Amino acid sequence: MKPLTIVSSRTPAGPLLEVAGDLDHSNAHHLRGAAVAAVVPAGLTLLLDMGELGFCDSSGITALIAVRNHLVAAGAALVLVAVPEALRRLLHLTGLDQVFDLRDSHRLPTT
């Protein structure tokens, strides 16, 4: 298993968290904590770059749902960027691809 790393930075749309390694039952709470610590004001977006994610189990998916729910309650949004194909397939099979905003890049449309 690869250790989970989360690197935080800022974009014009809001905070960016680059998630790498394995997201599983032993460390999913780190993702939730990092998302809360990112402090995303209403109207902004938290970008989660998943391009270097190696593995995601059901606890990881639960953490993604919890992060999304936290942001929606605060009037903010969540975008999953560069989602690995295996996770994208799982999100599609479970219908969660209809819940999450999946993008290929960090560039969001301007309003």
Side-chain angles (χ1 to χ4, degrees), residues 24-72:
D24 61 22
H25 69 282
S26 68
N27 57 29
H29 63 282
H30 292 299
L31 177 63
R32 291 190 303 272
V36 169
V39 185
V40 186
L44 291 185
T45 300
L46 174 64
L47 300 162
L48 282 184
D49 185 328
M50 318 285 286
E52 297 299 318
L53 187 71
F55 173 78
C56 182
D57 71 4
S58 61
S59 297
I61 291 172
T62 299
L64 291 172
I65 293 168
V67 166
R68 180 197 170 276
N69 291 346
H70 169 76
L71 293 167
V72 168

